[in-house]
Amino acid sequence: MDNATMARLLEQTADLLEIDGADSFRIRSYRRAAEAVEQTTVDLMDASTDTARLLAIPGVGKSMAANLQAIAATGTMPLRDELLAKYGISMLELMKLPGMGPKTIALFWSAAKVNSIDLLAEAIESGKLAELPRMGQKQIEKIKKGIDDYRRSAGRFRIDQAQEAADRLELYLLAFHGFERVTPAGSLRRGRETAGDLDLLVTGPACAPQKTAEAVEYVAAYPGIADLIVKGENKVSFHIASGMQVDVRLLPNECYGAALQYFTGSKAHNVSLRQRALKMGYTLSEWSLARLDDESVVASATEEEIYAKLGMDWTPPEMRECLGEIEAAAAHSLPRLIEESDIRGDVHMHTTATDGRNSIREMAEAAIARGHQYIAITDHSKALAMTFGLDEKRALEHMQRIKEVEREMEGRIRIFTGIEVDILSDGALDLDDEVLAQMDVVIASIHSRFDQSREETTARVLRALENPNVRILGHPTGRQILRREPIAIDLGAVMRRAAELGVAMEHNASPERLDLSDRDLRLARELGCKIAINTDAHDTRDFLKLKYGIRQLRRAWLEPKDVLNTLRADEFLAALRPRTQASAVR
Ligand code: DGT
Ligand code: CA
Ligand code: CA
Ligand code: ZN
């Protein structure tokens, strides 16, 4: 178990205590401990037997150290078990609903014995909830929407969470001497925005048929396992602490390609491919491509051979959704998809001036380290008060500071001035035009009033686009993966106007957003929009998340020429919407 999981258990215990009406001092001590566990650099699994080391962590006292030791040894702690026995394990799921804090839950529990999402839905249905004091219709609607959203997304995980789980497992698996190669298949390999479960393929001498016993035991001993589902001859399935299911398959080298092809999917791609194989007199399975007549194997060791025998080019996994890729691969006309190495700059990021965690200089150094030739610093504007957004005066000062840092970098990187300006509820921008006109990269984004009607929101964004200073429309649908649906908006109308005006549409590569989606990106290209990919980094480490966005671009079949960030610095600026008179004379 990792520190983050331990912190979550402590946080849950604090919530349960609060539902239970425990005294606030006690609740706070668990919250503080959760925070300490989240923050510490000590590996707690490692340190759990060393009480002195635990006590040295600020925020961890004697009783908390005992709790951590219990968690490390058993995966839970007595108090948490006690509270869960009282309130039911379904309470944990209820606590995941948006806006469902311990106080609200305590109220629902005492008034209607609600301890699960299902019972909450029933209480709404029967009108019981509406009878409670201070429960307005609006609030009930909100809760209902939360339940609907939750049910729709339940059981799926963000792609970065799947990737990180896969990376940790890979590290563990490759430490076994009989394993040589670990490859994620399924939705993770195809780069979908979420994954239902994780499919990992393992090859190496320890995977030879009839010789897998020791290897299977090793997989089943993975410390991250929360509960084991099956332990078979060449497959181990289990849940990890987050609830994600993992299927690990052990494969002999000679059928690795066929298995990788099969388990990568998608199902629709595989069905089409099998039909093509049949027409050619072959049968395609997870074991091989074989002749129909005498069952002799035609190809099985690599995907390339299999696709080649089917008269096709090897098809990038991101394209395998049965959306025309089979025909294109057969016609040898697959596009050369964009790759991370094509990207030369990133023009949406935040610094300590607003809600970022690093300075302009630190962002610049980190960008250089990852090979960028240019960045733009685009902090928030004043409407986002909780981020300490910039007003006109601070925006201008910040701009001077950006230029100063660019000079200090002595040509090692270009740093464009910029801003992520809020689109206000009526479509006006949050900062004066004279200020915006001085910036290189003005990104306009929606961060509020997601509840407006489709007509209002469309008109709002269209009005914002008419402001000549706007060069990029940031995270255009405002969606948050598995958390918030896209805003209701006529995206087609917005994109058509953006294409006319030369405003670029952003693909926000943060794995929490991935906005525009793969489908919307396809539409953006069809409508002739410029497209920019940005990490929206709030931390130098966020630059690493570019890879998640690149996969969405690839899923949309985008090539380097379709994406502005593949241009050199000057070309990039020139490709943005032309600057206005006011800005040209600055
Ligand atoms: P997920 O896990 O919901 O994010 O989506 P996938 O695509 O990873 O689906 P999953 O884990 O059920 O199966 C992994 C791949 O294995 C899938 O993409 C295609 C292949 N596969 C699994 N079951 C079947 C099946 O019944 N028929 C066919 N043709 N392929 C299958
Ligand atoms: Ca899967
Ligand atoms: Ca699976
Ligand atoms: Zn933003």
Side-chain angles (χ1 to χ4, degrees):
M1 189 181 291
D2 57 9
N3 286 10
T5 310
M6 286 188 163
R8 201 159 54 238
L9 293 180
L10 291 170
E11 192 65 48
Q12 278 172 359
T13 308
D15 286 346
L16 289 165
L17 278 173
E18 199 169 344
I19 293 168
D20 200 47
D23 80 83
S24 57
F25 178 79
R26 193 152 176 237
I27 298 167
R28 223 173 21 249
S29 75
Y30 280 89
R31 294 217 193 282
R32 210 168 34 229
E35 179 77 5
V37 166
E38 184 84 50
Q39 293 299 328
T40 185
T41 53
V42 177
D43 180 340
L44 291 170
M45 230 26 209
D46 224 38
S48 67
T49 49
D50 184 347
T51 311
R53 259 183 94 193
L54 293 179
L55 290 172
I57 300 168
V60 175
K62 265 211 189 94
S63 72
M64 224 36 93
N67 283 328
L68 290 173
Q69 285 166 335
I71 292 175
T74 67
T76 179
M77 50 185 268
L79 176 62
R80 177 172 175 273
D81 286 348
E82 224 171 89
L83 290 162
L84 284 178
K86 181 167 175 186
Y87 293 105
I89 196 134
S90 55
M91 202 59 124
L92 294 178
E93 205 179 9
L94 187 58
M95 294 192 303
K96 287 187 195 157
L97 286 185
M100 200 54 68
K103 286 206 178 58
T104 316
I105 293 180
L107 173 70
F108 294 171
W109 167 257
S110 62
K113 285 283 167 285
V114 165
N115 72 341
S116 70
I117 292 179
D118 287 346
L119 286 178
L120 180 62
E122 266 176 44
I124 292 174
E125 215 50 50
S126 69
K128 233 192 262 169
L129 217 56
E131 294 164 13
L132 295 182
R134 296 188 308 276
M135 253 308 132
Q137 195 51 42
K138 208 162 171 187
Q139 221 166 335
I140 289 178
E141 282 306 316
K142 241 188 192 151
I143 295 173
K144 236 174 115 173
K145 182 167 183 314
I147 294 175
D148 290 347
D149 287 351
Y150 181 83
R151 284 186 170 157
R152 201 171 21 243
S153 63
R156 295 198 72 82
F157 297 86
R158 278 200 335 246
I159 202 65
D160 55 322
Q161 295 167 334
Q163 181 70 57
E164 282 161 20
D167 290 346
R168 274 193 294 272
L169 257 154
E170 180 175 350
L171 216 60
Y172 172 79
L173 293 172
L174 287 179
F176 187 67
H177 60 85
F179 290 157
E180 283 171 356
R181 191 160 46 157
V182 176
T183 318
S187 46
L188 178 59
R189 184 161 183 247
R190 299 201 312 283
R192 281 197 53 185
E193 57 198 37
T194 61
D197 69 6
L198 205 55
D199 306 282
L200 289 185
L201 306 187
V202 185
T203 49
C207 301
Q210 267 89 56
K211 291 184 188 157
T212 54
E214 201 194 337
V216 164
E217 288 310 319
Y218 181 78
V219 177
Y222 177 56
I225 294 181
D227 67 282
L228 196 64
I229 302 168
V230 250
K231 196 166 74 175
E233 171 84 37
N234 49 19
K235 176 178 167 181
V236 182
S237 291
F238 50 84
H239 289 112
I240 54 176
S242 62
M244 193 185 309
Q245 181 175 330
V246 183
D247 300 330
V248 178
R249 291 187 174 79
L250 310 184
L251 299 161
N253 274 318
E254 57 273 19
C255 63
Y256 177 71
L260 183 57
Q261 198 292 311
Y262 180 88
F263 290 110
T264 296
S266 67
K267 279 180 189 129
H269 175 87
N270 286 359
V271 167
S272 275
L273 209 61
R274 266 202 307 274
Q275 283 165 354
R276 182 179 172 87
L278 285 176
K279 274 190 211 134
M280 297 174 74
Y282 298 132
T283 152
L284 179 61
S285 71
E286 59 182 292
W287 304 108
S288 66
L289 181 70
R291 294 175 59 98
L292 269 174
D293 46 15
D294 60 2
E295 293 178 12
S296 61
V297 172
V298 176
S300 63
T302 68
E303 282 193 338
E304 283 80 357
E305 292 167 50
I306 292 170
Y307 281 103
K309 291 289 184 203
L310 291 171
M312 299 163 65
D313 290 340
W314 178 83
T315 310
E318 294 92 341
M319 302 182 80
R320 300 186 196 171
E321 299 288 353
C322 202
L323 293 170
E325 76 281 6
I326 293 184
E327 295 76 4
H332 307 290
S333 63
L334 287 172
R336 199 292 250 167
L337 298 183
I338 189 164
E339 293 166 14
E340 206 174 336
S341 58
D342 293 319
I343 299 297
R344 292 193 157 108
D346 183 344
V347 298
H348 182 167
M349 67 193 65
H350 301 265
T351 69
T352 46
T354 59
D355 61 348
R357 274 175 292 277
N358 292 97
S359 65
I360 302 169
R361 200 186 169 102
E362 286 163 346
M363 294 308 273
E365 289 291 353
I368 293 170
R370 80 167 304 309
H372 284 330
Q373 297 171 4
Y374 55 95
I375 54 174
I377 303 292
T378 55
D379 273 297
H380 289 293
S381 63
K382 61 182 185 279
L384 267 193
M386 72 272 200
T387 70
F388 197 43
L390 307 174
D391 59 16
E392 281 77 2
K393 179 160 170 290
R394 285 180 61 220
L396 288 173
E397 287 163 8
H398 196 41
M399 212 178 99
Q400 292 316 314
R401 183 71 199 121
I402 295 167
K403 290 183 179 174
E404 233 171 83
V405 176
E406 189 191 24
R407 277 193 296 276
E408 289 164 18
M409 301 310 289
E410 297 180 323
R412 293 162 62 222
I413 189 167
R414 288 285 302 275
I415 310 179
F416 301 138
T417 58
I419 191 94
E420 181 181 17
V421 65
D422 254 59
I423 300 175
L424 304 177
S425 59
D426 61 355
L429 300 183
D430 188 29
L431 291 176
D432 288 346
D433 284 341
E434 303 90 272
V435 172
L436 296 177
Q438 298 180 49
M439 310 262 185
D440 296 318
V441 178
V442 175
I443 302 174
S445 304
I446 287 190
H447 290 113
S448 64
R449 293 300 312 278
F450 298 99
D451 57 340
Q452 287 176 329
S453 72
R454 182 178 155 100
E455 291 68 33
E456 275 176 300
T457 305
T458 305
R460 174 186 181 188
V461 173
L462 285 173
R463 179 174 170 207
L465 293 181
E466 296 303 325
N467 184 308
N469 298 305
V470 172
R471 306 227 152 68
I472 299 177
L473 184 63
H475 44 72
T477 78
R479 73 162 176 175
Q480 285 180 8
I481 305 268
L482 301 178
R483 282 185 53 205
R484 188 169 69 209
E485 291 291 301
I487 41 175
I489 189 168
D490 183 348
L491 208 51
V494 168
M495 288 194 204
R496 268 187 288 275
R497 188 65 187 139
E500 284 166 10
L501 293 168
V503 175
M505 302 295 286
E506 177 178 77
H507 172 72
N508 192 295
S510 161
E512 284 153 35
R513 293 190 181 272
L514 300 176
D515 182 9
L516 301 171
S517 69
D518 48 8
R519 209 198 79 233
D520 294 340
L521 283 165
R522 239 172 272 141
L523 180 64
R525 188 185 49 184
E526 279 166 28
L527 295 176
C529 288
K530 299 170 189 171
I531 296 168
I533 179 172
N534 297 315
T535 58
D536 195 357
H538 284 67
D539 188 307
T540 52
R541 283 171 302 186
D542 288 344
F543 286 140
L544 295 173
K545 296 178 180 167
L546 184 68
K547 59 175 184 252
Y548 299 114
I550 292 290
R551 291 187 202 166
Q552 303 313 309
L553 304 187
R554 291 169 63 84
R555 288 177 60 78
W557 294 37
L558 297 193
E559 300 173 59
K561 66 172 167 50
D562 299 318
V563 181
L564 296 181
N565 313 59
T566 62
L567 299 172
R568 291 170 205 290
D570 288 328
E571 297 167 342
F572 176 89
L573 269 196
L576 290 179
R577 182 190 206 169
R579 305 189 57 162
T580 57
Q581 292 291 316
S583 56
V585 297
R586 92 180 142 116

